[in-house]
Amino acid sequence: MDMSSRDVVIVGGGISGAAAAYELARAGASVTLVEKGALASMASGWTLAGVRQSGRHPAELPLATAAVRRWEHLADELDSDVGYRQEGNLRLARTADEVPAIANLVRGQRVQGLDVTFLDGNRAVRAVAPALAETIVAASYCPSDGHADPVATVRAFAAAARRHGADIRTDTKVTGLDVAGGRVRGVQTAAGAIAADAVVIAAGVHSDELCTLVDLDLPITIRLTGVVQTTPVPPLLRQVLGVANADFAGRQQVDGRLRMSGPIGEWRWPNSDRELGAEDALPSAQSVAAILTRGIAVLPALAQAGVARVWAGLIDMTPDGLPVIERAPEIDGLVIAAGFSGHGFCLGPVTGRIVCELIAHGRSSLPIEAFRRARFTGVEGTAKAELLG
Ligand SMILES: Cc1cc2nc3c(=O)[nH]c(=O)nc-3n(C[C@H](O)[C@H](O)[C@H](O)COP(=O)(O)OP(=O)(O)OC[C@H]3O[C@@H](n4cnc5c(N)ncnc54)[C@H](O)[C@@H]3O)c2cc1C
């Protein structure tokens, strides 16, 4: 696609925005990515960074599968180590009561064509992951799932975008969108205006406020989950772990640290200007305790690890837990990629491609009808947030 006459501004330097910058820049567009903090300073840094197809909603599965195909070659494509390991995802049944949920998941996803198997009994589970507890009853196993280093991935996309000529501006906040005659004309930033004939809102939990600036409704409710990271420990676990009721997820990073998340709670902006202070989003002691207790129960060797860091991740939940990826029908040239509801990291490489296609041709080669914002008209409430790793 020849995009050489297009000026595009992308708001947000998480994986969605950085991947879009890369795709658009290499297609020839003149790209400016504007990030209010550092690259990957919000969800794309807080994330567990599982790259999974298993457990996906049927509408997201084609995107996740296409994303995994990209992840397999992403390091070569971006010429950078993104820490990707395709070593599988295990969703555990910790009790007999949890077995039907896992068995159903396997059945349903096999029908959708995913290579996922049911590991029946502790011996079968521990043949795949020997460090798991002897109490685990069963698991689903999707060998083509995996995980990656989220900050390295975002930086790799941004660096590759730069090599294709993109201008990546960090520490620059977008404060307004310029719209005239039904068309987007650019953005206002704290450092001045930037003209553009296409603007991408990929601003995570801030996307709804940017939409509000141009009278568009993007229903996002924020949820908070704690994350615990340990000191490096010897190799214990290659797969990403989830559990049947999604109250725990975890993985071992390439550097040996375990990174785990747990219960999801409500959270509100502490002030109307939505600036986050250092102590405005923290996990409660109870949620950290729950992560550690549940983690040790499934991976007993975790008890010996040091706790190196805890932090909170904010999640941009939509009413149905699926993202919005669309060309806004109300404003020519405005594309929205937001509301990933706790599972947008894996999708990043295809989100970027879809955004590029929407700007270049007005349509996507992957099915995205389920992700139109119009589906929320008259809808209230929020889906239950689930982090599945
Ligand atoms: C604890 C946790 C675990 C998760 N686990 C997984 C997982 O295992 N697998 C998975 O696929 N997904 C997971 N997710 C979800 C995934 O991390 C996110 O969906 C994904 O990172 C979203 O990327 P994004 O680029 O859309 O948003 P973000 O990474 O939030 O990026 C948005 C960026 O926009 C910037 N921005 C906002 N407003 C402005 C403005 N006005 N001007 C300029 N810049 C602005 C922000 O600073 C931010 O950097 C998890 C999320 C959390 C929190």
Side-chain angles (χ1 to χ4, degrees):
M1 46 193 132
D2 179 23
M3 300 269 287
S4 52
S5 59
R6 307 300 303 271
D7 288 320
V8 185
V9 169
I10 297 164
V11 191
I15 192 160
S16 306
Y22 165 67
E23 298 289 350
L24 285 155
R26 76 172 175 150
S30 167
V31 174
T32 308
L33 183 150
V34 188
E35 161 57 52
K36 70 179 170 57
L39 294 172
S41 53
M42 297 192 83
S44 301
W46 299 324
T47 183
L48 201 69
V51 175
R52 74 175 163 84
Q53 306 142 100
S54 58
R56 288 271 164 190
H57 187 285
E60 272 188 11
L61 188 57
L63 275 61
T65 302
V68 166
R69 272 187 233 117
R70 288 290 301 282
W71 277 102
E72 288 165 350
H73 307 285
L74 205 57
D76 285 343
E77 183 180 339
L78 301 181
D79 195 20
S80 190
D81 183 3
V82 296
Y84 177 62
R85 296 290 184 277
Q86 191 171 34
E87 294 176 331
N89 181 298
L90 286 165
R91 184 143 308 111
L92 310 176
R94 295 164 293 187
T95 61
D97 285 354
E98 291 187 337
V99 171
I102 298 295
N104 284 339
L105 182 139
V106 171
R107 241 189 322 273
Q109 294 217 281
R110 287 184 69 84
V111 169
Q112 290 160 33
L114 186 64
D115 177 15
V116 56
T117 50
F118 181 66
L119 303 178
D120 194 359
N122 185 264
R123 188 189 293 255
V125 177
R126 292 177 72 225
V128 172
L132 289 178
E134 291 177 8
T135 51
I136 304 298
V137 182
S140 65
Y141 177 46
C142 180
S144 57
D145 286 348
H147 55 94
D149 178 333
V151 176
T153 304
V154 174
R155 288 183 182 158
F157 269 121
R162 260 195 209 104
R163 291 196 292 275
H164 287 286
D167 179 4
I168 311 283
R169 300 188 193 175
T170 53
D171 297 311
T172 308
K173 182 173 178 177
V174 169
T175 52
L177 302 182
D178 293 330
V179 175
R183 277 207 63 84
V184 76
R185 307 285 172 173
V187 300
Q188 299 289 330
T189 79
I194 309 172
D197 54 37
V199 170
V200 181
I201 296 179
V205 293
H206 290 281
S207 300
D208 56 341
E209 75 204 49
L210 288 158
C211 286
T212 304
L213 292 174
V214 287
D215 295 327
L216 301 184
D217 191 27
L218 177 66
I220 283 180
T221 308
I222 299 181
R223 294 283 181 259
L224 179 148
T225 181
V227 183
V228 175
Q229 192 181 43
T230 71
T231 52
V233 294
L236 276 179
L237 181 70
R238 291 184 291 115
Q239 302 79 10
V240 179
L241 295 183
V243 292
N245 71 356
D247 70 4
F248 171 83
R251 69 176 175 103
Q252 186 165 26
Q253 301 176 183
V254 174
D255 65 5
R257 295 172 193 275
L258 295 160
R259 184 187 274 235
M260 299 162 290
S261 63
I264 294 174
E266 302 206 343
W267 186 83
R268 282 185 215 305
W269 292 103
N271 48 46
S272 57
D273 64 8
R274 293 187 169 196
E275 298 288 351
L276 273 187
E279 299 194 349
D280 286 332
L282 291 172
S284 67
Q286 194 177 33
S287 71
V288 172
I291 294 167
L292 291 170
T293 306
R294 290 168 192 166
I296 291 167
V298 297
L299 196 66
L302 162 64
Q304 309 310 321
V307 171
R309 278 180 69 203
V310 299
W311 66 84
L314 301 180
I315 297 173
D316 48 353
M317 282 303 299
T318 66
D320 60 5
L322 295 174
V324 169
I325 312 176
E326 69 165 16
R327 253 161 57 119
E330 302 87 341
I331 300 175
D332 234 13
L334 185 66
V335 171
I336 300 171
F340 286 93
S341 302
H343 29 88
F345 179 71
C346 163
L347 301 182
V350 294
T351 302
R353 179 156 294 175
I354 293 169
V355 165
C356 181
E357 289 174 345
L358 288 176
I359 291 173
H361 318 298
R363 62 182 184 282
S364 157
S365 54
L366 285 162
I368 58 167
E369 294 72 26
F371 309 132
R372 285 177 303 145
R373 198 169 28 93
R375 72 189 190 272
F376 299 132
T377 308
V379 171
E380 290 191 5
T382 306
K384 184 170 174 285
E386 292 189 335
L387 289 177
L388 296 170

